[in-house]
Amino acid sequence: MRFWRAVASPTLLDLDRSELGEKLAEWGEPRFRADQIWHAVYREHASSYSAISPLPRALRERVGERLAFDPLGPVDRVASADGMTTKVLFSLPDQETIETVLMRYESRSTVCVSTQVGCPIACPFCATGRAGFKRDLTVGEIVSQILHFARELGEEGERLTNVVYMGMGEPLLNYDATLRSIRILNDPDGFGLRARGFTISTAGIVPGIDRLAGEDLQVNLAVSLHAGNDRLRNLLVPTNRRYLLSALIHACRTYVERTHRRVSFEVALIDGVNDSLVHAREIAALLDGLLCHVNLIPLNPVDGSPFRPSPRARREVFAKELRQAGVPTTLRLGRGIEVQAGCGQLRGRETAAPHDSRDRAEPSL
Ligand code: SAH
């Protein structure tokens, strides 16, 4: 990873607005050229220098020789039968691959981005974690995933409204690149996505949550909880051995005090593992008095994993128990499962599902 950092040269999408201005100034170009490029890329969603028409052709070529435009290339694309979920496989400059998912809803469109190649947390029920960890993504590699889908939507006259850092990897272990990508896309003179449109999801990296609480940024925080006792959570989310629930919840309480923002907690319900009434009560006790919201998601099937989704009836009982204890709770449905674009199904290689029935997951519960 250190080697990668040392050799990777920045692309246009790695730079914020002032860095782009400095680069062009170094090359003897006036400031307004940087503004033209910024506007073309982040407002008009240009996908290459040749699409930036206000720039003279010779300048486009000069800049292109010195600064690559985009570090990612799409190599595969699958869509769910209803067309509402799309997953794209991207190749990176070092031949690694990552996946990104677009989810359309009636009144919004959300892109689920990856922040690392693989994931070091290694939750046993998640395909990404099972495949190991390779490296952090660069800022440009994160920004590029989002621009790709903003362009796709733009061609259909639609807009991207939300970005969730819930793809491959642990965003708070790639903190700087994650935050820089948000600041770049939040720029009101550029892409202009409002801070509240971003959600960072974490397995519970306490120092990262503390740092995020100190940023002056109204982004959403989601915590992948999955269990309300340390013994079970140590197994399901191995980073819990380092950051125990007491420390995690303390960090969340501090986060709420400082930001006045509600934290959301994700719980993937697994048959016979974390879905009993006792488990629900443990979570309710843990979250008592905290400004929060719980999302209960059915476990998505992952090849080779022994874990099975909790039956619907049990999920409903679980939700009821939390609500009765005063914890706002939503029972969510799986999405994009048949194209393996659901939570925990991203693994960074071409999807066999639509072409090969042996590999096809059941279309959710
Ligand atoms: N590492 C971060 C970001 C990944 S978000 C985090 O853990 O929050 C991906 C979400 O999908 C997490 O909430 C994760 O726990 C959940 N997930 C992983 N595998 C899953 C599966 N098989 N079914 C449902 N959710 C899963």
Side-chain angles (χ1 to χ4, degrees):
M1 198 169 76
R2 223 170 287 139
F3 173 71
W4 161 256
R5 281 222 175 101
V7 297
S9 37
T11 67
L12 175 63
L13 305 185
D14 286 277
L15 307 181
D16 65 24
R17 207 144 90 98
S18 64
E19 288 166 338
L20 179 61
E22 283 158 26
K23 268 263 180 280
L24 286 173
E26 260 172 47
W27 301 335
E29 303 295 341
R31 168 100 225 172
F32 76 93
R33 294 294 186 201
D35 294 340
Q36 284 177 325
I37 296 175
W38 193 259
H39 190 270
V41 173
Y42 290 104
R43 280 274 153 143
E44 317 216 304
H45 304 165
S47 60
S48 65
Y49 288 113
S50 54
I52 307 182
S53 43
L55 288 196
R57 183 186 298 262
L59 179 56
R60 284 184 232 164
E61 279 166 14
R62 269 204 312 278
V63 176
E65 276 160 20
R66 289 163 158 167
L67 188 65
F69 189 92
D70 186 333
L72 296 191
V75 290
D76 193 27
R77 182 178 197 283
V78 282
S80 61
D82 64 5
M84 298 294 271
T85 306
T86 313
K87 180 171 78 166
V88 170
L89 179 79
F90 292 101
S91 70
L92 313 182
D94 57 353
Q95 311 309 317
E96 296 291 351
T97 50
I98 51 162
E99 291 182 319
T100 312
V101 178
L102 174 71
M103 292 163 286
R104 293 169 192 229
Y105 302 85
E106 228 160 69
S107 55
R108 65 196 156 96
S109 291
T110 300
V111 64
C112 176
V113 292
S114 294
T115 53
Q116 296 180 316
V117 182
C119 183
I121 309 283
C123 302
F125 53 88
C126 175
T128 306
R130 291 165 69 89
F133 171 67
K134 289 281 176 43
R135 67 167 173 88
D136 285 338
L137 294 187
T138 60
V139 177
E141 287 165 343
I142 299 174
V143 168
S144 173
Q145 296 171 62
I146 297 153
L147 290 183
H148 175 90
F149 284 105
R151 282 184 213 120
E152 267 195 17
L153 287 166
E155 280 162 20
E156 295 172 31
E158 287 178 41
R159 279 191 39 222
L160 184 65
T161 55
N162 297 77
V163 174
V164 296
Y165 289 76
M166 296 187 181
M168 297 165 65
E170 169 51 50
L172 294 187
L173 289 179
N174 188 11
Y175 189 93
D176 291 334
T178 294
L179 266 282
R180 277 179 55 100
S181 69
I182 293 175
R183 293 199 192 276
I184 287 174
L185 295 163
N186 179 229
D187 178 3
D189 296 324
F191 197 69
L193 188 66
R194 73 213 187 287
R196 285 166 192 231
F198 295 92
T199 300
I200 296 179
S201 181
T202 180
I205 307 299
V206 167
I209 296 173
D210 291 342
R211 229 177 126 183
L212 193 61
E215 306 276 354
D216 189 17
L217 210 53
Q218 296 280 299
V219 296
N220 304 301
L221 174 66
V223 175
S224 301
L225 188 62
H226 305 314
N229 76 70
D230 282 314
R231 204 169 37 85
L232 181 55
R233 196 165 190 272
N234 284 345
L235 299 174
L236 294 179
V237 188
T239 199
N240 193 75
R241 294 179 202 148
R242 180 130 186 231
Y243 305 112
L244 293 173
L245 278 167
S246 52
L248 173 60
I249 299 303
H250 182 265
C252 291
R253 289 190 194 278
T254 310
Y255 181 89
V256 170
E257 274 165 32
R258 288 216 207 146
T259 62
H260 307 290
R261 302 211 31 93
R262 184 177 75 162
V263 176
S264 58
F265 290 93
E266 312 296 314
V267 180
L269 289 173
I270 313 174
D271 190 16
V273 174
N274 64 352
D275 61 347
S276 73
L277 263 184
V278 173
H279 294 119
R281 287 181 191 139
E282 283 170 354
I283 289 179
L286 193 70
L287 304 182
D288 186 37
L290 180 64
L291 181 64
C292 71
H293 186 99
V294 171
N295 287 313
L296 298 178
I297 40 183
L299 185 83
N300 292 321
V302 162
D303 281 351
S305 151
F307 296 111
R308 295 284 158 253
S310 179
R312 181 164 195 134
R314 214 175 301 145
R315 286 187 275 134
E316 278 166 4
V317 171
F318 200 99
K320 198 167 156 216
E321 185 67 23
L322 285 179
R323 288 189 193 120
Q324 268 171 5
V327 180
T329 302
T330 306
L331 205 52
R332 301 216 176 258
L333 297 174
R335 255 199 99 145
I337 311 305
E338 85 273 22
V339 288
Q340 292 172 18
C343 300
Q345 293 185 309
L346 305 186
R347 56 190 180 172
R349 59 186 158 101
E350 290 184 47
T351 306
H355 322 293
D356 179 353
S357 59
R358 280 170 308 163
D359 220 18
R360 184 175 298 158
E362 284 304 309
S364 195
L365 309 146

